[in-house]
Each structure stands twice: as structure tokens, then as C-alpha cells.
Amino acid sequence: MKSRTSLVNRLSVVVGAVVMTALVSMAATLAVSKSIEGNATAINQAGALRMGAFQLLSRAAGSRDHERDNQAFQALTETYMARLVNVGITQAIPDNTEHPLARQYQSILDTWQAELQPALKNHEPGSLVSARLISATDTYVREVDQLVTMLEERTEARIDLLHLIQIISLAFSILIILALFIDLKNRVLRPLRKLVDIADAVRQHDFSHKAQLRGSDELAQLGDAFDQMTSELALTYHELEERVRTKTDELEKSNAALQLLHTASHGLFANHDLCDGAVPMLQQLEQLLGIGPIQIYLHDRDSSQPIQAVTTATRERPFYCRDHHCNACLVQPEQYEDLPIENNDGRRLLLPIRTPGHLLGTLEVWYPVDMELSPTARQLLETLSDQLATAIFLERQITEEQQLTLAEERTVIARELHDSLAQSLSYLKMQVARLRRLNITGEQEATHEAILDELSMGLNSAYRQLRELLTTFRLKLDTPDLSSALKHTVEEFSERLGKPVQLVYNLPPNTLSPNEEIHTLQIVREGLANAVKHADASEVEVDIIFESPKVKARIRDNGKGLPDGDQPINHYGMVIMQDRARTLGGQVRVQNREEGGVEVSLSFIPKSRNLIPTEVSSA
């Protein structure tokens, strides 16, 4: 049987072979049985012919009454002839005249007719049996014996053939059954056992078992289907495991990130320090999500470009680090070059930092180009941007409220100073003028004049400082920040000087607190006032620059310089500037320049140079 036939076809062939074998066996048996039908009768009757021949011989030898014996003998002869051609014998003789049995039977008939029957007729009753009769009888009996032998051999041959056919049928049936058993074992039982084992293994989540059945029958096709099913199940199970593992990792990361964000929210609203608080938090978030660096850009109303407020990886300390000893965001150059940045095949995600109706900034997240941000990671980053937006918005509100409060307080102070102190100073100046008109003479005249000069100088300086202070208060009411206030101040003193005053300003937004802006502006105005009043200069420059971590303000002129080559002592304006510088935590120096003129320099480290100030400065 062919291994590539279907199982049904093979079973059909086996059943057909068994049926065919049975049919052939039965047909052959029937044919053989039919062929030997009557042989026993023929053998018996042929054997009776021998006896009949001897009986005829005996009757011929022993008859005495001639007429009576002749009639009886004649009747016996006719009976014998009838037995010789009896159907019991003739039906066992083949119709083919060339068949040995037919020739032998014909030989018997010929011997009977030619020798024995004539010899019996010619024998005289009561006489001795002649040798010729005996010889004819012996010849005839031998011919009959030969026929009986041939019939017996033919019958035995048919029986042997029948036995052979039965043996062959039995052997063929056994072979078919054995082949069927082997085929069933190899093609049915073994595959079924494999399929059952595979099913048990699949139930135990083991998808490594394969049927690998050969052939194209139904079980082989079922085995191929099982192999394909287990492969697909293994792939699906592996994918599900990967998805479960990925989801588990994402949930663990999300949980850790949520805890981190929860801690960070407290840090943003309690610590108020991006360098010490937000940067480590963002770096931990980078490690959890496998991203980075993270940068925060803020939108400032006075800047056309977004301003970087936070980065988690830089080789140089940014300007917004409040503490110049903070190294939270500093990395080695090798680490920085390995980060997925714009020039290093990186991908970035931009998330807006916004509140309803206000775009405050942008959260920029870099990650490797071969990485895809999961929805969970993106949602966490969006949550972070919302927290940052809330913190920034609240801080801006607080700052604006502080500025409004400060402006209102300064307005009240300016009004009170104008209504009280300014009038008092004016009154004292008038009284000093009255004293000068008294024409005091005598030995105390010089002393009185010195006292009056000192009073006049003090009153004039105090009055001028008061006017500057009132001007500054009013200037802050109309300007939003230090940059605009300085521009207005430069325009004012340019008109007073009659020549343009140069201004260089490069402070990043939100560098100074309102209080620091006020003191810086006052020191600049005092320096410009001295340059306009005393320097006799043709060029005046004002530089407000940021050299991390310090803010430096310089007022330079090309005038005649200080008379003694050093900063004046006990000068009212100098005393006030020094006091303001100490309030800022810095210092003021006034000195002559080598190329001519005077330079007033202010240097200090801002206390609130970050997104969310640590300290709330007071006016």
C-alpha cells in the first residue's frame, strides 16, 4: 500500500483485498469442488466395472444350461454395458477427447468392444475358460484399474488444489491482516499517540512537541495542522507572555514613576528648586522609562524664542542653577555624546506645558531612535507636564501678586514721601537759605558758613536721592521688568546728557527678583546721575551682563574721573549704593579707568535665579 494514499483509501483497499481474497477463495473452492463432483461415484462405479468383469468371466465359466445361461449372460452383459456407459462414469470424464481420462475411458470402451465382449460372446457355456478370455479380461481390468487410478489421482489433485487455494487464501488473508495491523500501528495508532501527547503537552503549556508525520493522509494532515497549531500557539503564547511581561514592566515603571511624580509634586511646591529637586527627579524618570535627556523650555513674553529652564544633561552649568556648586545636571563629555540628541540620531517628543488659555512652555523629551514610547510612558510625561504647568502657573501668579503688592506699596510710599518728606526737605532748604541771608559776622562766621554748607549739601543730596527714589517708584509702575526700566532710564539720562547712553543687556528672563531689580536699577541710576552731573563725559555705557553665577552691572564714562583716583568716602550717593549692594549680597566699586573716566561696577549672586524661587525677597 502506498503511504501517500488517504487513510480511507487505504482502509478501503484493505477491506477490498480481504473481500476479494474471500471471494476468490470461495470461487476457487467452488470451482474445484464442482470439478470433482461425481468423482467418487465414478471411482465406485469404475471399481464395480472390475468386479463386473470378473463376474462376467465367472458366469461364463460356470454356466451349464446353454439356453438359459445364454439369456442370463446376455442380460448380465447388457447390464454391464449399461454400467460401463453410466452417467456416473461419463460425467467424470472430460469432454475433451485429448484429455488422458477421456483417452483412458475410450481405451476401456475399445478394449471392451474389441477384446473382452467378443471373447465373452464366443465362449461356449460350460467349456473351459480360454487363455484368450482370461487375457482379455486381465487387459480390460488393467484398463479399468488405470481409469480408477487416474480418477483417484485427479480427485486427489483437485483436493490438493483446494487445500492449496485455502492455504494461499489463508496466508494472503494473514498477510493482509498483518499489513493492516502494521499500517494501523504506524499510520494510525502511533500518529494518534503522538497527537495525544502533543495535546497533553499543550495543556501543560509545552509547545515544543511536534508530530512531524509523513505522508498525505488524514492523520498526516491532522499532524501538520497540530504542528502548525502548536507553532502558532507557541508564538501567540510567547507574544502574550511578552505582552504580559511588557505590561508588567510598564506597570512597575508606571508605579515607580507615579511615586516619583508624587514625590516630585511635593518637591516642586515645597522645595522650589529645579536644580536640586527637579533635575534629580527627571533623571530618575529617565532611568525608569529609558529616555533622556529631558529639557524644559519656558515661553517669556519679552522673548521671541523659548528659554531653556531645565536640562538633565549638560557639560556646562546652565545660567539658571541657583547654587553654582550644584552638579545635578552636569555629565561627562562622553556621556553627553552618547545621548540621543538632535545631532546624534535621536527622536524627541514635544509636550506643551499649558494651563487653560495659557501656553507656559514646552517639555522636550529625547529618546533613542530605535525605541517607541509606550502609551503609559507618554501619559506619565503628559502628567509631568501638567504638574510643571501647575507649579509654574502658581509661581507666576505668586510673583505677579508680589509685584503688584510691591508696586502698590511703593506707590503708597512714593505718595507719602512726596507729601511728607519731600515737603520737609523743601522746608529745611528754605530755612537754610534764610540762615544764609542773616549775614552772620564775627569770629564764628567761618564756622557758621561751614555748617550751612554742610547742611545745604546734605539737604540737596537727600532731596536728589528722594527725587531719584520717587522717579524709580513711578518708573516701575509703568514698566514690566528691569530691561524696560533700564531702557527708559537710558533714554531719560540721554536727554539730560545730550548724547546717547549705550546699553548692553543680556540677563536671561526671570533672573532677578523684583527686589533685586529695584536695587540694581537704583544703583545704575545713581551711577548715571553722577556721570551726568560730575564726570563731564561725552560717552556713557551701561552693561548689565550675566556671568554665571553672578550678575554684573557696569556704568562707564570717559569723563575727568575721580579727583583723588579712588572711590569717594562718606559720599551720600556712595553710601546708599554700598548699602544697596550689601542688601543684594554683593559689592560696588567706583574707580578710575586706565583709558580715562570712571567705572562703577556692581557684582552679586542673585538669590532667586531659578524657575521657582527658594526665597521670597521683600522690598
Side-chain angles (χ1 to χ4, degrees):
M1 288 180 293
K2 296 181 179 180
S3 61
R4 294 191 177 275
T5 57
S6 68
L7 183 61
V8 175
N9 291 339
R10 292 208 306 272
L11 291 176
S12 300
V13 170
V14 170
V15 173
V18 172
V19 172
M20 185 61 67
T21 301
L23 292 176
V24 170
S25 176
M26 287 187 292
T29 303
L30 182 60
V32 172
S33 300
K34 189 67 176 178
S35 66
I36 62 175
E37 184 180 355
N39 282 11
T41 303
I43 292 172
N44 291 333
Q45 289 185 0
L49 289 177
R50 291 180 298 181
M51 185 178 294
F54 285 113
Q55 186 179 5
L56 287 173
L57 180 60
S58 173
R59 190 67 177 269
S63 176
R64 298 231 182 239
D65 187 351
H66 184 268
E67 291 183 359
R68 188 178 55 189
D69 290 342
N70 192 24
Q71 291 178 355
F73 184 76
Q74 186 67 29
L76 184 60
T77 301
E78 291 177 358
T79 302
Y80 185 81
M81 288 182 65
R83 290 169 58 188
L84 183 60
V85 294
N86 189 285
V87 69
I89 296 176
T90 57
Q91 68 177 5
I93 304 302
D95 295 334
N96 187 3
T97 57
E98 298 299 325
H99 193 274
L101 276 176
R103 290 202 301 269
Q104 183 62 33
Y105 181 68
Q106 187 62 40
S107 176
I108 292 174
L109 291 178
D110 293 341
T111 303
W112 167 259
Q113 293 175 357
E115 296 183 10
L116 183 57
Q117 185 178 14
L120 289 173
K121 286 183 178 181
N122 295 329
H123 179 71
E124 291 293 333
S127 62
L128 293 174
V129 179
S130 64
R132 179 173 176 271
L133 181 57
I134 294 174
S135 175
T137 302
D138 290 336
T139 301
Y140 177 78
V141 169
R142 283 196 301 271
E143 292 292 337
V144 173
D145 288 338
Q146 183 64 29
L147 178 63
V148 171
T149 301
M150 292 179 69
L151 287 173
E152 290 177 349
E153 290 177 353
R154 184 169 181 264
T155 302
E156 290 177 357
R158 292 291 187 272
I159 293 173
D160 292 339
L161 178 61
L162 183 59
H163 291 168
L164 180 61
I165 290 173
Q166 292 176 343
I167 292 173
I168 292 174
S169 299
L170 179 61
F172 195 64
S173 299
I174 292 174
L175 289 176
I176 292 175
I177 294 172
L178 182 61
L180 177 60
F181 175 76
I182 295 174
D183 187 70
L184 288 176
K185 180 180 178 181
N186 294 331
R187 299 292 179 179
V188 177
L189 297 179
R190 189 174 297 169
L192 284 176
R193 191 177 298 111
K194 282 188 175 181
L195 296 178
V196 172
D197 293 340
I198 292 174
D200 291 337
V202 169
R203 185 170 54 202
Q204 299 174 3
H205 301 160
D206 181 8
F207 305 100
S208 61
H209 292 236
K210 300 296 180 183
Q212 296 179 347
L213 300 179
R214 299 177 181 178
S216 59
D217 56 15
E218 289 81 356
L219 287 177
Q221 294 175 4
L222 184 60
D224 293 340
F226 260 66
D227 292 343
Q228 183 178 0
M229 179 189 68
T230 53
S231 299
E232 293 177 354
L233 284 176
L235 180 60
T236 303
Y237 191 77
H238 179 70
E239 291 177 352
L240 288 176
E241 284 186 335
E242 284 295 323
R243 290 175 63 183
V244 170
R245 189 178 301 109
T246 302
K247 290 295 183 181
T248 303
D249 294 340
E250 289 183 359
L251 288 176
E252 291 177 353
K253 291 180 180 178
S254 300
N255 184 37
L258 287 174
Q259 293 179 353
L260 182 62
L261 291 178
H262 178 71
T263 305
S265 64
H266 287 282
L268 287 175
F269 295 102
N271 188 30
H272 302 301
D273 192 345
L274 290 180
C275 184
D276 293 334
V279 172
M281 178 271 293
L282 294 176
Q283 289 175 341
Q284 293 178 20
L285 189 63
E286 289 176 352
Q287 293 178 356
L288 285 175
L289 302 181
I291 58 176
I294 297 177
Q295 299 173 349
I296 299 176
Y297 290 88
L298 296 183
H299 297 175
D300 189 83
R301 58 188 174 184
D302 299 314
S303 176
S304 58
Q305 297 295 329
I307 302 166
Q308 188 183 68
V310 167
T311 182
T312 57
T314 180
R315 290 177 290 182
E316 299 178 357
R317 184 175 292 105
F319 72 89
Y320 49 77
C321 288
R322 181 180 60 83
D323 183 0
H324 64 278
H325 296 293
C326 176
N327 298 320
C329 59
L330 298 183
V331 296
Q332 298 295 326
E334 296 80 8
Q335 295 174 319
Y336 185 81
E337 292 173 358
D338 292 337
L339 293 174
I341 57 178
E342 188 171 3
N343 297 327
N344 193 18
D345 197 21
R347 302 172 67 182
R348 65 176 175 175
L349 172 67
L350 298 178
L351 295 174
I353 301 175
R354 66 166 67 236
T355 57
H358 297 86
L359 181 60
L360 304 177
T362 303
L363 180 66
E364 184 179 274
V365 180
W366 289 90
Y367 56 96
V369 69
D370 56 348
M371 172 185 173
E372 290 291 340
L373 279 180
S374 64
T376 305
R378 187 182 181 95
Q379 188 174 6
L380 288 173
L381 293 173
E382 291 175 353
T383 304
L384 174 63
S385 67
D386 292 338
Q387 286 188 347
L388 290 172
T390 303
I392 295 170
F393 181 75
L394 291 177
E395 177 55 31
R396 286 189 176 181
Q397 276 192 330
I398 293 173
T399 302
E400 290 177 359
E401 290 177 359
Q402 289 176 348
Q403 290 177 345
L404 290 175
T405 303
L406 183 62
E408 292 176 357
E409 291 176 353
R410 291 183 182 276
T411 301
V412 173
I413 293 173
R415 185 171 60 251
E416 293 297 329
L417 289 176
H418 182 272
D419 295 340
S420 60
L421 185 57
Q423 293 180 3
S424 298
L425 290 175
S426 298
Y427 173 75
L428 290 176
K429 288 179 66 177
M430 289 187 291
Q431 295 301 319
V432 170
R434 288 180 63 191
L435 288 175
R436 287 186 182 278
R437 295 193 200 98
L438 291 179
N439 294 325
I440 299 174
T441 58
E443 59 183 8
Q444 299 297 328
E445 181 179 0
T447 302
H448 289 170
E449 287 295 332
I451 292 173
L452 289 175
D453 290 341
E454 186 175 351
L455 285 173
S456 178
M457 183 179 64
L459 288 172
N460 290 333
S461 177
Y463 193 73
R464 182 175 60 83
Q465 291 292 332
L466 179 60
R467 288 200 313 270
E468 290 291 336
L469 185 61
L470 293 176
T471 303
T472 302
F473 285 164
R474 295 190 182 98
L475 187 63
K476 283 299 291 182
L477 290 176
D478 300 327
T479 55
D481 56 7
L482 179 61
S483 176
S484 300
L486 285 173
K487 289 179 182 179
H488 286 283
T489 298
V490 166
E491 292 175 358
E492 175 190 345
F493 281 95
S494 295
E495 293 178 358
R496 292 171 60 178
L497 182 64
K499 296 177 182 179
V501 177
Q502 303 297 324
L503 174 63
V504 176
Y505 182 89
N506 73 342
L507 286 188
N510 301 317
T511 304
L512 301 179
S513 67
N515 188 54
E516 291 169 340
E517 290 180 354
I518 287 293
H519 288 301
T520 303
L521 179 62
Q522 283 290 80
I523 292 173
V524 171
R525 289 185 65 85
E526 180 67 26
L528 287 174
N530 291 332
V532 170
K533 184 175 181 180
H534 304 293
D536 193 16
S538 60
E539 294 181 1
V540 180
E541 298 177 357
V542 178
D543 296 339
I544 309 295
I545 60 177
F546 177 72
E547 295 179 359
S548 182
K550 293 184 178 182
V551 172
K552 293 184 178 181
R554 291 192 293 264
I555 303 96
R556 295 174 293 185
D557 63 65
N558 61 349
K560 58 186 179 182
L562 298 174
D564 297 332
D566 197 0
Q567 60 185 15
I569 302 175
N570 295 329
H571 186 272
Y572 285 105
M574 188 63 199
V575 171
I576 293 175
M577 284 194 295
Q578 291 287 3
D579 183 64
R580 293 184 184 278
R582 283 193 296 270
T583 301
L584 294 175
Q587 61 180 355
V588 170
R589 293 184 60 83
V590 181
Q591 58 188 2
N592 287 330
R593 302 170 62 195
E594 294 181 359
E595 59 271 25
V598 176
E599 177 178 320
V600 179
S601 62
L602 167 67
S603 176
F604 68 97
I605 297 176
K607 295 180 180 178
S608 303
R609 242 188 336 97
N610 55 324
L611 176 64
I612 305 176
T614 300
E615 298 181 6
V616 180
S617 300
S618 60

